[in-house]
Amino acid sequence: ALLKKHSVSVTQKEEHMVEMSNGCICCTLREDLLVEVAKIAAQGTFDYLLIESTGVSEPMPVAETFTFEDSTGLRLGDIAEIDTLVTVVDGSRFLSELDSIQTLQDRDWQADPEDQRTISHLLCDQVEFANVIIVNKCDQINSDEKNQVKRLIQQMNPTAHLIESVYSDVPLDRVLGTGLFSMSDAEKHDGWLKEARVGEHTPETLEYGISSFSYRARKPFWPHKLNLVLEDMLNQAPPFDTSIVLRSKGIIWLASFTGIQGEFSLAGNHFNLVPGNPWWAEIDKEHWPEGLEDAIAPLWSEPHGDRQQEIVIIGQKLDRDAVTKALDACLLTEEEMDMGEEAWNHMSVDAGDPFYEDWYNAIDSAVGAGSDVDH
């Protein structure tokens, strides 16, 4: 929708897909969007362009679209800038959808046949990257339910502006011309919740029992023990029957793959733990970016460098000590730490590492594609 005083116009054009300059065929930009925005900008008659994406899209790829060049070297960001990313949440269904076990394919919402995302993970991605979150259908929930939804959203995205609405009726100046989007801040979005970047604070059990904390440790997890704890989280088995984890995300250090960060995400009744980037300790310092050594000095601890556990946990009636104890029980003991990485690997396999095959295949595929990821 194109907005100017006393006028509303809608432009539609048949889609044309092209590969982005980074060569990733699964991340494509719409060439027609670039062309149409260029035409609109050249007219000089419109103040704002409101782009409404589909309900299964994620805000971050939309923002990234503004950084990619077409075949002529032109970027969407050269002719227009992102002002605000807005996510509209159905307040009456937010908590139930977050707990859903359905995938997008179960509802025929998938973006393509390979789309394996779950409803709960998509919902979290849409909430965590937005600048403004509109909690809609507030007339269909009572005050306690509304405040519980708002508190959870604030834990998931503490910097977003929250707006309550009925029929999505909100003042335009709350979503247009806000200047809330920052590309430099967006580029720092790197695999864990904003809660972990905003800074530590003393979590408290508030009126609706929703709180959060960051779990950290300097030892690796035994994969088989960690998997059992994560299953207990999903199934709300003790201690997670009283400390209910609604959302968790972070980086994990597994004893079976000591060179690679594990990217962990839990939402509702699903969790993913997949191989990510190498730890900086695995990369020769001559290949480090300038200034990195000083930047990560607070995270560095010999002899394992930047390897660590860092997991943000958001939940209801969280008993921090009980959750921490459950995760601590998955860590190697001091005696096991002294055995060394080769022994850890063999012991993990012997114990039945539930992640080993998927991780090994993913890393092997990445290496085959020219990645410098190493195991």
Side-chain angles (χ1 to χ4, degrees), residues 2 31-43 49 51 66 76 79-81:
L2 313 173
E31 187 181 69
D32 52 305
L33 178 63
L34 178 59
V35 172
E36 291 302 310
V37 171
K39 290 179 181 178
I40 294 166
Q43 294 176 17
L49 172 63
I51 302 173
F66 281 70
L76 190 55
I79 55 177
E81 62 181 12

Side-chain angles (χ1 to χ4, degrees), residues 157-305:
N157 188 340
T159 64
H161 290 208
L162 264 63
I163 305 173
E164 299 177 19
S165 74
V166 176
Y167 295 109
S168 295
D169 184 9
V170 300
L172 284 180
D173 60 3
R174 300 292 301 277
V175 295
L176 294 175
T178 70
L180 292 174
F181 179 82
S182 165
M183 186 63 76
S184 60
D185 287 345
E187 290 170 350
K188 297 174 185 176
H189 193 277
D190 53 4
W192 58 85
L193 295 174
K194 290 182 179 179
E195 176 78 13
R197 296 200 307 277
V198 171
E200 287 301 307
H201 65 277
T202 302
E204 52 195 8
T205 303
L206 298 179
E207 184 178 359
Y208 301 98
I210 296 173
S211 60
S212 69
F213 72 94
S214 293
Y215 173 86
R216 291 185 173 88
R218 284 288 184 173
K219 297 177 181 178
F221 284 133
W222 286 119
H224 65 289
K225 292 184 178 181
L226 177 64
N227 185 63
L228 291 175
V229 169
L230 297 180
E231 291 289 348
D232 285 345
M233 281 189 189
L234 296 185
N235 297 323
Q236 296 183 5
F240 306 105
D241 53 340
T242 54
S243 291
I244 301 173
V245 177
L246 299 172
R247 177 66 166 141
S248 184
K249 201 172 184 181
I251 55 174
I252 281 178
W253 176 17
L254 288 182
S256 51
F257 289 86
T258 58
I260 303 291
Q261 298 179 17
E263 296 181 353
F264 169 66
S265 177
L266 179 149
N269 287 309
H270 297 270
F271 77 81
N272 291 320
L273 179 54
V274 297
N277 295 320
W279 298 104
W280 284 112
E282 286 290 305
I283 300 174
D284 194 300
K285 287 187 178 181
E286 69 180 31
H287 299 301
W288 286 15
E290 184 177 352
L292 176 65
E293 187 167 5
D294 291 336
I296 67 172
L299 303 176
W300 201 265
S301 178
E302 294 294 348
H304 301 294

